[in-house]
């Protein structure tokens, strides 16, 4: 892919509000007008890297023209065909300080299982900021089942999902997966970021019902949420053991420094058979 | 552990009952076999057979059933489906049905004595068979088409979740954001199009523009007059009707037409000018109705903010923040310069002066303040806007009482800058607003304002409030309903302290 950027879009705060008659209207990123950015595919399918002054992780915007939470958008001209028609692709900047999955990807996770066409069960979707990027990655042929139990965040999640038809918002407690069993298919991967002490158990409950054999498990572990007295390393090790007991075979573990402190990302594979 | 005979599969499309047709010899082999087959449609398809499928017939029925299933309740629809498709059990042997949820299993057993239930918890084989159904049911149910299940999940996921969060369609502020953006575009469009009409029709009747300068009126006149030759004294009434019954003006138009320097126009040309003018007039009328819609919508979604600062500016604030919720979370200092981010960041970079106002500049209050008070009134107004947006956002059913009070406060503040008249004390202003709101509550018993949840638990609250009262504020001696008032006033107290120290 030989993409050439045209310009940066979006401004530094709420991306939806444009049309201010004076002052900050128009394009906020105007200063960077001519900056040339090249977008290249990342090692993980569905993720891209925008190379400019600094490299940035980006995903292909499923609903072009709209920012979800005020993130920057980058529009890139695809190399034109012989007939001089230029099509554009829009990407959204994925900030590793705001999304643990992005931090994990930048940290060099080997396998994330989240890729175009995948079905993802996302536990702890919050307002849907990270979920929107996961939705971009899996694309129109994939699905994200986004579970969140806070009603306040849930409203934002539902609003985000109205613009992304591959996201199914589920306002329920992930501890009771049977309650939403009618809304979920078998999935390729479970991503969990519920920040609860019993997260491993929650992941297990969901995996036994919904995760394909051999499917992926990606969990973000915040040491503080699980045990604030023990050393983070010890907490991570214990969580890995718990996942193992849920028949999830650990593949790799990564701390999220420098983006998050005392956080780890653990990736595993679901092996249901006990033999 | 009895071997399982039937399986119940609940999904977003409906209930399905499968018969387990292939029973393995030993239990030990069984699990391995089922697990191996689980992800292989060819193998799994040989283990089970569809015996009944009851699709939901409407979206409402789907939602109702999903809600019941998630609570472990058997709906009538499910009951009749089970009755219809399961064989009558013999005395000797009960029928074993595999079900996902043990609560639902309980409800089923309670009304079908001949049925025994197993769940994934009691039998791993059942767990794996049900997993297999989740995997393959879309294909095994031949009535379904590719994508049916996905679409049903999407629709139902939204319906289920919206109900959960009590998503209110009425109070949806997205429409405000869309409406104000459309309005802005329309204004621009109507303006440019009107200029076109003036230029085009001006070839024929150049004098008209000097008599009526307003774009909309001009377009209407151009449409009504058409070929100026046809204009006679008899048209006076019709013309006057278009210019606010201004007889002199109408006469001036007729006189001008008589001696016009403009070129004659062919019918075909005139037809096109008229067609275009007609569209412009229609567009301007639509703009008016859209504006009315925005006003009405604001009265539902953000009545206090709209009352305080006007519908259009209020809508712009909401639009710029992204939602009313976002706006209500901003500190007043952010509200003050909302829309002037560019100037703010420039100022921060160059260490220059930060802007005094953003979008709220367009409120009439700023214009009415003297030059040296513009910044002060802007800050004051932003404070009030912040309060109003919070009341609107967090009330179940907001009215305009606080908006009116806040507006009056801004008026008085302006007055104070101009003449030195002391404004009403904040405490008093807020108390009378609160009284007005409470008065309404007693009439129709609707909880209001941001402290609404408290008023429902009046009794309990006012008790523990009383302790605080005595500590915090000795002057206060309200009984019964002071829960609400307290909360608001305390907030206001802090505010007014801040204001007086910074003013
Ligand atoms: C750390 S935040 C997730 C942030 C999100 N992954 C992101 O990167 O944008 C954790 C979320 O999990 C939610 N949560 C906690 N316990 C939950 C449960 N039992 N079921 C569903 N959601 C839960 C919380 O409400 C919170 O929004």
């Amino acid at each position: 892919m030989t993409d050439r950027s045209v310009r940066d879009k979006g401004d530094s705060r709420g991306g939806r509000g444009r049309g201010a008659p004076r002052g900050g209207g128009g394009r906020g990123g105007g200063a960077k007008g001519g900056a040339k950015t090249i977008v290249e595919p990342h090692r993980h399918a569905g993720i891209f890297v925008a190379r400019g002054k600094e490299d940035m992780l980006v995903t292909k915007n499923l609903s072009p023209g709209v920012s979800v939470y005020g993130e920057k958008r980058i529009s890139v001209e695809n190399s034109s065909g012989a007939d001089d028609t230029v099509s554009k692709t829009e990407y959204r900047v994925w900030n590793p300080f705001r999304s643990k999955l992005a931090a994990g990807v930048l940290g060099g996770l080997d396998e994330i299982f989240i890729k175009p066409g995948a079905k993802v069960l996302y536990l702890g979707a919050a307002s849907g900021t990270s979920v929107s990027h996961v939705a971009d990655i899996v694309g129109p042929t994939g699905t994200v089942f986004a579970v969140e139990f806070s009603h306040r965040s849930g409203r934002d999640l539902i609003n985000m999902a109205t613009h992304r038809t591959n996201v199914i918002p589920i306002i329920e407690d992930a501890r009771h997966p049977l309650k939403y069993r009618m809304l979920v298919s078998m999935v390729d991967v479970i991503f969990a970021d519920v920040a609860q002490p019993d997260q491993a158990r929650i992941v297990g409950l969901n995996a036994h019902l919904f995760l394909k054999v051999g499917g992926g498990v990606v969990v973000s572990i915040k040491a503080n949420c699980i045990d604030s007295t023990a050393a983070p390393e010890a907490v991570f090790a214990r969580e890995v053991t718990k996942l193992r007991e849920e028949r999830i075979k650990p593949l790799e573990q990564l701390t999220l420094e420098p983006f998050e402190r005392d956080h780890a990302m653990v990736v595993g594979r679901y092996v249901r058979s006990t033999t | 552990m009895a071997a399982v005979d039937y399986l119940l599969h609940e999904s977003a499309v409906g209930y399905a009952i499968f018969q387990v047709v292939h029973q393995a010899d030993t239990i030990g082999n069984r699990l391995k076999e089922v697990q191996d087959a689980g992800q292989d449609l060819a193998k799994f398809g040989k283990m089970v057979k569809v015996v009944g499928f009851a699709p939901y017939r409407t979206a409402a029925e789907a939602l109702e059933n999903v809600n019941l299933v998630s609570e472990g309740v058997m709906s009538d629809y499910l009951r009749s489906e089970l009755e219809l498709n399961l064989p009558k059990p013999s005395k000797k042997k009960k029928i074993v049905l595999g079900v996902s949820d043990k609560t639902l299993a309980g409800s089923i057993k309670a009304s079908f004595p001949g049925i025994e239930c197993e769940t994934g918890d009691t039998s791993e084989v059942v767990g794996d068979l049900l997993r297999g159904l989740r995997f393959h049911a879309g294909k095994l149910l031949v009535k379904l088409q590719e994508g049916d299940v996905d679409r049903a999940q999407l629709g139902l996921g939204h319906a289920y979740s919206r109900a959960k969060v009590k998503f209110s369609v009425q109070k949806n502020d997205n429409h405000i954001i869309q409406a104000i953006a459309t309005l802005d575009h329309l204004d621009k469009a109507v303006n440019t199009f009107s200029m076109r009409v003036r230029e085009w029709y001006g070839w024929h009747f150049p004098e008209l523009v000097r008599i009526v300068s307003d774009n909309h009126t001009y377009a209407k006149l151009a449409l009504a007059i058409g070929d100026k030759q046809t204009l006679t004294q008899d048209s006076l009434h019709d013309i006057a009707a278009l210019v606010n019954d201004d007889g002199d003006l109408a006469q001036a138009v007729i006189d001008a037409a008589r001696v016009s320097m403009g070129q004659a126009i062919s019918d075909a040309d005139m037809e096109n000018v008229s067609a275009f003018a007609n569209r412009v007039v229609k567009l301007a009328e639509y703009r008016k109705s859209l504006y009315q819609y925005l006003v009405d919508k604001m009265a539902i979604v953000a009545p206090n903010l709209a009352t305080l600062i006007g519908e259009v500016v209020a809508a712009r604030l909401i639009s710029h923040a992204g939602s009313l919720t976002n706006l209500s979370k901003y500190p007043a200092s952010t509200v003050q310069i909302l829309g002037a981010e560019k100037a703010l960041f420039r100022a921060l970079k160059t260490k220059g002066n930060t802007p005094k106002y953003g979008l709220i500049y367009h409120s009439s209050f700023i214009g009415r303040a003297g030059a040296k008070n513009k910044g002060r009134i802007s800050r004051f107004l932003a404070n009030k806007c912040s309060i109003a947006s919070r009341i609107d956002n967090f009330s179940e059913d907001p009215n305009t009482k606080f908006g009116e009070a806040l507006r009056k406060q801004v008026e008085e503040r302006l007055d104070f800058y101009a003449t030195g008249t002391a404004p009403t004390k904040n405490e008093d202003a807020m108390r009378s607003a609160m009284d007005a709101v409470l008065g309404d509550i007693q009439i129709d018993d609707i909880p209001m304002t941001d402290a609404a949840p408290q008023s429902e638990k009046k009794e309990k609250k006012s008790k523990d409030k009383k302790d605080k009262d005595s500590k915090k504020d000795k002057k206060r001696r309200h009984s019964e309903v002071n829960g609400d008032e307290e909360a608001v006033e305390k907030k206001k107290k802090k505010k007014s302290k801040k204001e007086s120290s910074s003013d």
Side-chain angles (χ1 to χ4, degrees):
Chain A
M1 206 196 272
T2 50
D3 295 338
R4 275 200 347 274
S5 155
V6 231
R7 58 158 187 258
D8 285 4
K9 279 200 262 179
D11 52 33
S12 39
R13 31 182 53 261
R16 306 183 76 184
R18 55 193 49 229
R22 58 187 281 287
R27 7 203 94 83
K32 286 191 181 172
K36 285 265 185 289
T37 316
I38 296 177
V39 172
E40 294 172 354
H42 187 270
R43 188 163 59 87
H44 295 301
I47 303 178
F48 300 85
V49 182
R51 305 208 180 275
K53 246 192 303 180
E54 306 160 41
D55 289 355
M56 288 180 296
L57 221 49
V58 297
T59 58
K60 200 186 271 180
N61 195 353
L62 255 188
S63 63
V66 184
S67 291
V68 174
Y69 53 99
E71 73 283 11
K72 267 218 169 104
R73 285 170 284 139
I74 300 175
S75 185
V76 166
E77 270 176 25
N78 303 316
S79 53
S80 46
D83 54 350
D84 251 26
T85 48
V86 191
S87 63
K88 281 187 187 172
T89 311
E90 191 176 88
Y91 297 88
R92 296 187 302 130
V93 175
W94 194 13
N95 183 344
F97 288 97
R98 295 191 62 165
S99 169
K100 276 153 247 175
L101 184 57
V105 168
L106 277 185
L109 282 177
D110 210 38
E111 169 71 285
I112 56 169
F113 296 95
I114 297 171
K115 55 174 184 245
K119 283 191 160 54
V120 183
L121 178 58
Y122 194 121
L123 306 177
S127 306
T129 52
S130 290
V131 177
S132 68
H133 288 287
V134 174
D136 285 356
I137 296 171
V138 301
T141 54
T143 310
V144 186
F145 301 92
V147 182
E148 168 60 49
F149 81 162
S150 147
H151 286 190
R152 186 146 294 176
S153 312
R155 289 204 181 100
D156 295 341
L157 178 66
I158 291 170
N159 273 331
M160 186 278 289
T162 11
H163 293 286
R164 285 188 163 65
T165 51
N166 60 351
V167 177
I168 299 181
I170 301 176
I171 309 304
E172 260 304 344
D173 189 341
R175 285 195 184 88
H176 303 293
L178 281 174
K179 279 183 177 277
Y180 48 85
R181 66 180 183 280
M182 293 75 66
L183 304 173
V184 181
S185 312
M186 283 311 246
V187 298
D188 301 295
V189 46
I190 293 182
F191 177 87
D193 182 15
V194 287
Q196 296 284 351
D198 58 341
Q199 173 161 272
R201 195 183 66 89
I202 294 177
V203 170
L205 287 172
N206 281 278
H208 300 327
L209 286 173
F210 306 129
L211 186 55
K212 289 178 188 168
V213 173
V217 172
V218 182
V219 293
S220 143
I221 302 171
K222 182 177 178 184
N224 252 332
C225 282
I226 295 181
D227 182 344
S228 52
T229 56
E233 283 313 317
V235 175
F236 300 150
R238 259 194 331 231
E239 288 305 296
V240 170
T241 313
K242 285 190 217 160
L243 287 175
R244 227 188 265 277
E245 285 162 9
E246 299 290 349
R247 308 190 198 169
I248 295 159
K249 187 176 152 217
L251 299 176
E252 59 179 319
Q253 176 183 337
L254 179 83
T255 59
L256 295 185
E257 303 280 355
F259 306 111
E260 304 275 351
R261 200 193 285 161
D262 295 340
H263 267 74
M265 206 64 135
V266 172
V267 180
R269 189 187 290 280
Y270 185 56
V271 281
R272 182 167 172 84
S273 150
T274 40
T275 48
Chain B
M1 188 176 62
V4 55
D5 307 311
Y6 289 90
L7 298 164
L8 172 64
H9 176 66
E10 318 95 333
S11 74
V13 287
Y15 298 107
I17 297 174
F18 291 84
Q19 187 179 8
V20 183
V21 286
H22 176 91
Q23 303 281 2
D25 328 326
T26 64
I27 303 275
N29 283 348
R30 182 84 180 127
L31 181 59
K32 182 93 180 55
E33 201 180 331
V34 173
Q35 280 185 352
D36 288 348
Q39 292 186 200
D40 182 338
L41 178 59
K43 281 191 196 158
F44 191 77
K46 293 207 185 86
M47 296 183 136
V48 297
K49 192 178 94 189
V50 192
V51 293
F53 175 48
Y56 307 128
R57 289 155 298 192
T58 64
E61 185 177 66
L63 180 59
E64 189 191 325
N65 276 279
V66 165
N67 281 326
L68 290 174
V69 168
S70 108
E71 296 305 319
V73 180
M74 176 173 60
S75 67
D76 292 340
Y77 194 41
L78 174 55
R79 182 207 306 275
S80 61
E81 175 68 4
L82 289 170
E83 252 161 22
L84 196 67
N85 292 300
L86 293 181
K88 298 274 164 293
S90 63
K91 284 212 186 74
K92 264 181 279 159
K93 195 173 169 293
K94 285 189 167 186
I95 290 173
V96 180
L97 176 68
V99 185
S100 298
D101 175 20
K102 63 171 187 286
T103 330
L104 182 61
S107 320
I108 292 175
K109 274 192 288 190
S111 53
F112 291 95
I115 294 182
E116 197 54 55
C117 286
E118 295 268 359
T119 65
D121 293 337
T122 59
S123 152
E124 192 149 2
V125 172
V126 169
D128 274 287
L129 284 168
L130 290 171
R131 280 170 56 90
L133 287 184
R134 182 175 303 284
F135 210 111
H136 303 298
K139 297 243 165 54
L140 293 174
L141 297 168
V142 285
K143 275 193 208 145
L144 295 180
Q145 314 219 306
E146 169 98 33
D148 276 357
V149 176
D150 300 321
R151 271 190 297 278
Q153 282 173 342
L154 181 61
L156 212 49
H158 273 278
Y160 183 84
S161 298
R162 282 180 197 169
K164 270 270 145 77
V165 303
K166 304 203 179 61
F167 203 83
S168 160
V169 195
Q170 269 305 305
K171 288 188 75 176
N172 195 341
D173 52 5
N174 288 332
H175 296 292
I176 286 177
I177 296 172
Q178 298 302 329
I180 187 74
T182 310
L183 207 58
D184 284 342
H185 279 294
L186 268 180
D187 278 342
K188 265 188 221 136
V190 169
N191 211 16
T192 14
F193 289 162
S194 301
M195 300 294 278
R196 286 270 112 234
V197 174
R198 284 163 70 150
E199 203 175 312
W200 200 349
Y201 191 65
W203 281 101
H204 176 58
F205 190 178
E207 294 79 7
L208 183 61
V209 68
R210 250 165 286 144
I211 306 170
V212 278
S213 53
D214 176 64
N215 280 333
H216 185 53
T217 320
Y218 184 94
K220 278 200 290 193
L221 280 174
L223 190 61
I225 298 169
D227 189 338
K228 66 186 178 210
Q229 312 278 304
T230 62
L231 207 59
T232 64
Q233 199 57 38
D234 297 341
S235 322
L236 185 65
H237 256 330
D238 299 339
I239 301 294
L242 297 176
V243 291
N244 276 333
D245 285 326
D246 185 336
D248 293 347
L249 201 74
Q251 190 57 53
V253 171
I254 290 173
D255 294 345
R258 208 169 287 138
V259 297
S260 171
M261 299 289 298
Q263 305 169 359
I265 193 164
S266 77
D267 283 351
D269 292 335
M270 191 62 234
E271 208 170 284
N272 272 287
V273 178
S274 293
F276 182 53
N278 188 27
R279 298 252 141 65
V280 177
V281 169
K282 286 273 153 34
L283 201 60
E285 277 161 14
Y286 169 63
R287 190 244 172 242
K288 240 190 218 158
S289 78
L290 183 67
Y291 174 75
Q292 192 52 46
Y293 160 77
L294 180 71
V295 169
D296 296 345
K297 195 80 198 166
M298 286 300 287
I300 299 169
V301 178
N304 287 300
L305 188 61
T307 305
L308 171 60
I309 197 170
E311 284 83 9
V312 171
V313 181
R316 290 222 171 92
L317 286 173
I318 294 175
S319 161
H320 201 79
S323 71
L324 179 61
T325 312
N326 285 1
L327 181 65
S328 69
K329 287 183 199 158
Y330 287 158
S333 55
T334 302
V335 176
Q336 188 183 340
I337 52 157
L338 214 54
E341 287 79 16
K342 223 175 178 175
L344 175 69
F345 288 116
R346 190 182 339 108
L348 291 177
K349 233 179 245 163
T350 60
K351 301 210 160 50
N353 287 336
T354 51
K356 293 195 198 66
Y357 23 67
L359 291 170
I360 63 171
Y361 177 80
H362 296 281
S363 109
S364 61
F365 294 120
I366 309 281
R368 280 158 54 199
K372 77 177 199 318
N373 290 324
K374 281 198 197 303
R376 300 163 82 190
I377 197 69
S378 166
R379 188 175 60 240
F380 190 85
L381 180 60
N383 274 326
K384 302 302 174 202
C385 285
S386 177
I387 294 169
S389 67
R390 285 167 197 180
I391 295 175
D392 287 335
N393 188 55
F394 296 107
S395 310
E396 296 248 309
D397 196 359
N399 59 21
T400 58
K401 293 285 187 321
F402 275 101
E404 284 155 19
L406 293 167
R407 186 179 177 96
K408 190 153 156 267
Q409 284 188 298
V410 183
E411 294 280 2
E412 286 180 355
R413 178 63 48 153
L414 268 178
D415 211 32
F416 170 69
Y417 291 147
T419 64
T421 323
T424 319
K425 268 171 66 189
N426 186 45
E427 193 184 332
D428 298 332
M430 285 300 108
R431 178 172 327 168
S432 61
M434 196 65 227
D435 287 345
V437 170
L438 288 178
D440 276 6
I441 291 177
Q442 268 150 15
I443 294 163
D444 48 34
D445 211 34
I446 299 171
M448 287 177 198
T449 79
D450 54 346
Q454 291 183 353
S455 70
E456 285 167 10
K457 297 180 236 148
K458 261 177 229 163
E459 300 251 56
K460 189 173 147 285
K461 268 284 143 121
S462 59
K463 243 178 261 157
D464 44 38
K465 277 284 168 184
K466 254 174 215 153
D467 315 338
K468 271 191 217 154
D469 263 3
S470 47
K471 256 184 276 160
K472 277 229 154 131
D473 205 338
K474 294 188 190 85
K475 281 177 290 182
R476 187 91 70 262
R477 23 82 257 202
H478 289 285
S479 56
E480 270 293 37
V481 287
N482 66 353
D484 300 3
E485 198 166 341
E486 261 311 278
V488 177
E489 292 209 346
K490 235 177 274 161
K491 195 166 83 191
K492 299 292 310 179
K493 277 268 169 54
K494 262 206 261 157
K495 272 267 141 66
S496 59
K497 224 178 286 162
K498 239 193 283 163
E499 276 158 24
S500 47
S501 63
S502 58
D503 269 5

